[in-house]
Amino acid sequence: MSSNSQQSNSHGNCKGFASRLVHAGNQKDPLGSVVTPIYQCSTFAFECAQQGANRFAGTEEGYIYTRIANPTTRALEDCVANLEEGCCAVATSSGMGAVATVLLALLGKDQHIVCTGSVYGATFGLIHKHLSRFGVSADFVDTTDLPGMEAVMRPSTKVVYVETPSNPTMQITDIRAVADLAHRHGALLVVDSTFGSPYLQRPLTLGADVVLHSVTKSINGHADVVGGIAVARDLALGKQLTDSMRHLGCNMDPHQAFLVHRGLKTLALRMQRAQESALVIAQWLEARPEVAWVRYPGLPSHPQHELAKTQMSGFGAMLSFEMRGGLEAGRRLMDTVQLATLAVSLGGVETLIEHPASMTHAGIPADERQKSGITDGLVRYSVGIEDAQDLINDLAQAFTKLD
Ligand code: LCS
């Protein structure tokens, strides 16, 4: 487990977010490397049998085995724990690894979870198909409806799980209010903040207990790594998460961690650029007669635009929209764009377009999808760092080929 308080880099006093992106987590290297090297090893030698025993007993600091901890991975964990203003972090082999690590750590037999209805498809599947086999029950609800949430809370509710902004409906949940609700009922609040990234929102500062990310997305930002991370508010929770990850065996590999840490350093620059373009594109789409509606938190038409302004420092790079011609028009659009790539995933430097109902969220039963706003015609668009005008020109040429 990484611990934010254990950082020993020479830039530990950096206050600004962009400075922390570059410096937090970096350990002073004995050979002077300015970035944390890749410790590509499965195991670490002990100087003597007593040292090995001490490390296992936890009475001596030091590395043992890469599934348990690795210096390259630790540097990334320390950096993200710092950015999230959390206590400690655990990096995982995928975003779903982080979701599984957290839910297996915090839930047990006959316990209950309340979860955002329009949650990422595989998170829904993990809870609905797998945790249910171990006696965990779930309610998938609209987490913007606080009285509705209050109504499903039970004495056995141990976790409230919120994805905000949600994938792909872009719904924004009031983290502060939901943290308060969860805590009043004796539950913990877990926030999947993948769409926001630590650049736009820091759920732990708003009362969440755990924040997690698919770092595959904006944290890495270059569509070349799959990974995840979970950050705990305090040491006790952090220990639970680390223990869960070590037993599940879904640790992040050191090479993966090196790439993610490298990508992370430019998060602020990438996000600033992508969200500037996202707003322009959302406004352009909203003015087009072919488009029925656009969901982007930066548009005044977004139902939680005011809330987004208070809980996020920007509106992000993700938007969804529906064509007036419904699913068929959406399909045609996806087949005719040329600059945007038709692919799942999001948050990278390249613009991606996809169809959640038949792709990322196909695993959610159709009635559940409809209930949570994932309509069959919804198209998801992840804005990259290309020129906004080129992206608009690309959409405009695709619009001319709709019939
Ligand atoms: N949480 C959110 C909000 C996600 O969007 C994803 C992946 C995950 C967790 C899981 O992360 P992974 O294991 O893939 O790193 N979302 C995807 C998507 O929308 N398209 O492809 C993957």
Side-chain angles (χ1 to χ4, degrees):
M1 174 176 57
S2 81
S3 170
N4 197 15
S5 57
Q6 288 168 8
Q7 278 179 49
S8 60
N9 67 67
S10 55
H11 304 280
N13 294 329
C14 285
K15 290 280 188 287
F17 188 84
S19 307
R20 288 187 282 134
L21 271 177
V22 176
H23 297 293
N26 288 336
Q27 301 290 320
K28 197 166 168 41
D29 181 70
L31 299 182
S33 170
V34 295
V35 294
T36 307
I38 309 176
Y39 285 86
Q40 193 70 48
C41 58
S42 57
T43 196
F44 295 82
F46 307 130
E47 277 167 13
C48 60
Q50 189 57 49
Q51 185 181 59
N54 291 347
R55 287 193 185 169
F56 270 93
T59 54
E60 184 184 314
E61 279 283 303
Y63 293 95
I64 298 172
Y65 184 63
T66 283
R67 174 163 49 75
I68 297 173
N70 174 284
T72 315
T73 311
R74 171 76 46 94
L76 173 69
E77 291 169 334
D78 283 347
C79 183
V80 178
N82 179 309
L83 299 173
E84 289 287 4
E85 301 182 43
C87 166
C88 41
V90 58
T92 53
S93 54
S94 69
M96 285 315 301
V99 178
T101 292
V102 171
L103 295 185
L104 283 171
L106 304 183
L107 285 166
K109 188 167 164 345
D110 298 330
Q111 293 182 341
H112 176 239
I113 174 171
V114 173
C115 181
T116 303
S118 68
V119 74
Y120 173 57
T123 303
F124 177 87
L126 175 68
I127 298 170
H128 185 68
K129 284 207 292 213
H130 298 285
L131 292 183
S132 60
R133 292 188 288 114
F134 301 94
V136 172
S137 56
D139 274 299
F140 293 90
V141 298
D142 176 356
T143 45
T144 65
D145 170 15
L146 291 175
M149 279 189 84
E150 194 95 50
V152 299
M153 297 295 288
R154 308 178 194 165
S156 61
T157 311
K158 295 297 169 215
V159 172
V160 172
Y161 186 101
V162 162
E163 201 178 278
T164 182
S166 66
N167 180 3
T169 55
M170 304 307 300
Q171 209 173 43
I172 313 278
T173 294
D174 186 337
I175 297 173
R176 215 186 286 272
V178 171
D180 178 55
L181 184 150
H183 294 156
R184 273 192 286 107
H185 289 270
L188 295 173
L189 175 63
V190 177
V191 175
D192 181 336
S193 190
T194 299
F195 269 40
S197 88
Y199 179 62
L200 298 180
Q201 63 186 18
R202 282 169 297 276
L204 299 178
T205 67
L206 301 172
D209 301 287
V210 174
V211 57
L212 65 86
H213 297 273
S214 164
V215 304
T216 316
K217 313 299 174 344
S218 7
I219 286 188
N220 178 56
H222 293 76
D224 51 10
V225 178
V226 168
I229 201 158
V231 186
R233 160 178 54 80
D234 63 31
L235 204 56
L237 267 173
K239 282 191 168 140
Q240 276 179 268
L241 302 189
T242 310
D243 189 64
S244 171
M245 186 283 287
R246 288 174 181 172
H247 288 98
L248 268 169
C250 59
N251 61 289
M252 183 179 280
D253 176 83
H255 187 248
Q256 222 181 337
F258 174 83
L259 287 172
V260 174
H261 203 162
R262 185 169 73 157
L264 176 58
K265 290 179 203 288
T266 55
L267 174 67
L269 296 171
R270 289 185 281 105
M271 245 327 175
Q272 278 158 15
R273 169 59 177 256
Q275 70 176 356
E276 254 175 53
S277 301
L279 179 61
V280 173
I281 293 166
Q283 287 165 337
W284 182 85
L285 283 168
E286 202 169 42
R288 291 290 302 208
E290 300 91 338
V291 174
W293 52 259
V294 182
R295 283 282 171 276
Y296 179 66
L299 293 177
S301 60
H302 188 287
Q304 293 96 33
H305 175 60
E306 291 306 319
L307 171 62
K309 281 203 272 188
T310 65
Q311 123 178 342
M312 301 172 74
S313 62
F315 302 114
M318 295 300 298
L319 56 95
S320 57
F321 59 96
E322 183 158 321
M323 305 295 287
R324 280 199 197 286
L327 178 57
E328 270 321 301
R331 280 215 170 116
R332 185 97 190 103
L333 181 77
M334 287 182 277
D335 285 341
T336 47
V337 284
Q338 291 169 355
L339 181 56
T341 302
L342 176 56
V344 299
S345 200
L346 56 107
V349 293
E350 58 290 290
T351 296
L352 302 180
I353 191 166
E354 71 112 7
H355 179 234
S358 67
M359 298 174 190
T360 45
H361 294 69
I364 303 180
D367 57 329
E368 289 278 351
R369 274 203 313 266
Q370 291 295 335
K371 243 187 357 200
S372 54
I374 309 172
T375 56
D376 283 346
L378 184 151
V379 174
R380 193 184 73 183
Y381 196 78
S382 168
V383 181
I385 60 169
E386 301 95 336
D387 292 291
Q389 192 56 52
D390 284 342
L391 292 168
I392 288 175
N393 293 346
D394 180 39
L395 288 166
Q397 67 77 29
F399 278 17
T400 66
K401 297 177 185 148
L402 286 177
D403 313 311

